[in-house]
């Protein structure tokens, strides 16, 4: 269904107890599809708009576009970079809250 991945990224961005990491520079990922291809979730079917009409569990109201305001990885707090054969996690410059988050410690 459309929009689940955007909601998930947005949720991780806003959740105070989660750190969102953009690993797109160091992880090879592929999107597998069936015979119906990449647009399967966009074809007319009974539950096509389920995610668009879902209720926000915290507010009990319908999910609106404003709830996906940070639903892409450019809003990640951290990013991975490859350097000298190693993968490093680095804080991104600025988050929406105005400053870089500290890297988590063990």
């Amino acid at each position: 269904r459309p929009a689940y991945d955007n909601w998930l990224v947005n949720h991780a961005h806003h959740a105070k107890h989660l750190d969102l990491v953009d690993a797109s520079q160091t992880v090879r990922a592929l999107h597998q599809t069936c015979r119906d291809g990449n647009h399967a979730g966009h074809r007319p079917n009974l539950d096509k708009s389920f995610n668009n009409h879902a209720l926000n569990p915290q507010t009990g109201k319908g999910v609106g576009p404003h709830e996906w305001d940070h639903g892409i990885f450019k809003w990640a707090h951290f990013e991975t970079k490859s350097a000298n054969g190693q993968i490093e996690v680095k804080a991104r410059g600025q988050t929406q809250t105005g400053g870089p988050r500290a890297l988590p410690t063990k």
Side-chain angles (χ1 to χ4, degrees):
R1 292 184 190 127
Y4 176 75
D5 51 349
N6 302 98
W7 176 87
L8 190 61
V9 171
N10 185 69
H11 176 72
H13 174 81
H14 289 289
K16 303 254 187 265
H17 64 285
L18 296 175
D19 289 310
L20 180 59
V21 179
D22 176 0
S24 61
Q25 297 298 312
T26 58
V27 173
R28 290 183 192 245
L30 54 114
H31 181 222
Q32 293 181 313
T33 61
C34 293
R35 280 183 266 155
D36 43 0
N38 287 335
H39 298 288
H42 298 278
R43 292 195 180 112
N45 58 44
L46 293 176
D47 66 353
K48 174 186 173 187
S49 298
F50 178 85
N51 291 341
N52 295 333
H53 301 294
L55 295 180
N56 179 323
Q58 295 165 333
T59 65
K61 297 178 181 176
V63 174
H66 64 282
E67 293 183 77
W68 301 333
D69 58 346
H70 296 93
I72 56 177
F73 278 107
K74 78 174 194 172
W75 293 103
H77 308 120
F78 300 95
E79 62 186 337
T80 58
K81 296 283 185 182
S82 181
N84 301 320
Q86 300 288 320
I87 295 176
E88 299 175 346
V89 178
K90 297 187 172 196
R92 285 230 166 116
Q94 296 288 315
T95 64
Q96 187 185 15
T97 57
R101 283 194 179 190
L103 284 169
T105 58
K106 292 183 179 181

